[in-house]
Amino acid sequence: MFIEIRNSPISEEEALAKLEKGGCGSTVLFSGIVRPEEGGRRISALHYEHYPGMAERMITVIVTDAMKNFRISDAAVIHRTGDVPAGEISVVVAVSSERRKEGFRACEEIIDRLKTTVPIWKKEIGEVTQWQSERLQQREERKQK
Amino acid sequence: MLFAQYREIARTGEILLEFNDEESLTVGELRKTIGRQNGALSPHMGSALFAVNEEIAADDMRIKNGDVVAAMPPVSGGRCS
């Protein structure tokens, strides 16, 4: 298992290189790339901030669960923080397994739980610079009025 | 500890709160106290997540002397479709 959160560019190749692949018939890779648009507005980058220590520990729990529940052989998760320009990779999840089905399911589970539970926040930098959770909260408040 | 927009709103990553009765302090009481004492953070405390010693904490969790408490905005998420 390899987990890293760091403030420098990341690549798919390094995640794949960290995987233990002995006896595996499959590797599955997910890479999250910053889009040039968020919420209908152009952005030049996303700024990521995390809770050091807690974020890494929560990802470790998520990957441990996936290794147990989906019987995968290994997983690597690398997340970039700081300013990530549009078009560049912000997160990579790589999974090795004996069969592809478990690999696909595990990879999806890992990225879904990471996105919805791990303390990592993003700020949209562009036409309007704003924390994404703030924009979503404002949108909910407008809906309720 | 404060993160992301909470840190920017409060203009600090840490705030110090003093209580008369530490034994009875819960996360929920801390949530209300931060809202009362910091007007700018007040509108956000209803949806804030709290962690005690790096573990997500419910409102009824008791805070002990020396615990590290973090007030965190909802995580960013991201649409998958």
Side-chain angles (χ1 to χ4, degrees):
Chain A
M1 183 191 309
F2 180 81
I3 290 156
E4 185 175 44
I5 300 176
R6 68 167 198 249
N7 187 357
S8 60
I10 63 176
S11 72
E12 297 162 344
E13 290 77 13
E14 65 178 310
L16 288 170
K18 297 289 183 188
L19 284 182
E20 175 61 51
K21 304 186 195 75
C24 292
S26 162
T27 58
V28 173
L29 176 85
F30 167 82
S31 50
I33 299 166
V34 174
R35 291 186 303 272
E37 177 268 335
E38 283 282 347
R41 300 192 292 225
R42 300 287 298 176
I43 63 162
S44 59
L46 285 176
H47 175 85
Y48 288 88
E49 175 178 328
H50 74 301
Y51 184 169
M54 182 173 175
E56 287 89 342
R57 215 164 35 73
M58 287 185 74
I59 296 173
T60 302
V61 170
I62 291 168
V63 171
T64 302
D65 287 349
M67 292 181 80
K68 187 174 60 183
N69 296 337
F70 301 103
R71 292 182 302 153
I72 58 174
S73 301
D74 199 13
V77 178
I78 308 174
H79 204 302
R80 183 174 170 185
T81 56
D83 289 353
V84 183
E88 295 192 14
I89 297 171
S90 58
V91 60
V92 180
V93 178
V95 171
S96 61
S97 56
E98 187 180 350
R99 307 273 178 186
R100 67 179 182 277
K101 190 173 180 182
E102 289 85 357
F104 278 123
R105 290 173 64 197
C107 192
E108 185 175 38
E109 174 82 0
I110 290 169
I111 190 62
D112 282 354
R113 285 183 63 188
L114 188 157
K115 285 280 194 178
T116 53
T117 64
V118 176
I120 299 174
W121 304 275
K122 54 188 174 186
K123 182 192 264 185
E124 299 160 358
I125 299 170
E127 285 175 20
V128 178
T129 294
Q130 186 176 34
W131 291 96
Q132 190 173 77
S133 53
E134 203 172 15
R135 177 173 62 77
L136 295 175
Q137 185 181 350
Q138 288 170 354
R139 192 177 69 183
E140 282 305 307
E141 287 168 359
R142 280 197 300 273
K143 271 187 197 170
Q144 288 167 9
K145 280 178 187 171
Chain B
M1 298 171 74
L2 299 170
F3 290 96
Q5 66 261 43
Y6 295 175
R7 188 194 61 249
E8 292 183 353
I9 290 166
R11 297 181 180 176
T12 178
E14 291 184 20
I15 52 176
L16 184 65
L17 298 170
E18 291 184 7
F19 296 89
N20 293 326
D21 182 7
E22 280 184 347
E23 293 302 311
S24 66
L25 185 65
T26 65
V27 167
E29 288 162 351
L30 180 66
R31 182 193 298 277
K32 288 176 188 162
T33 303
I34 294 174
R36 275 199 307 270
Q37 294 191 1
N38 191 315
L41 282 174
S42 181
H44 302 277
M45 284 300 100
S47 58
L49 300 171
F50 278 80
V52 177
N53 299 326
E54 300 187 357
E55 295 280 353
I56 294 294
D59 274 9
D60 61 357
M61 182 166 179
R62 295 168 74 88
I63 300 168
K64 300 186 299 294
N65 192 21
D67 283 346
V68 176
V69 182
M72 310 182 292
V75 294
S76 289
R79 294 204 315 265
C80 59
S81 60

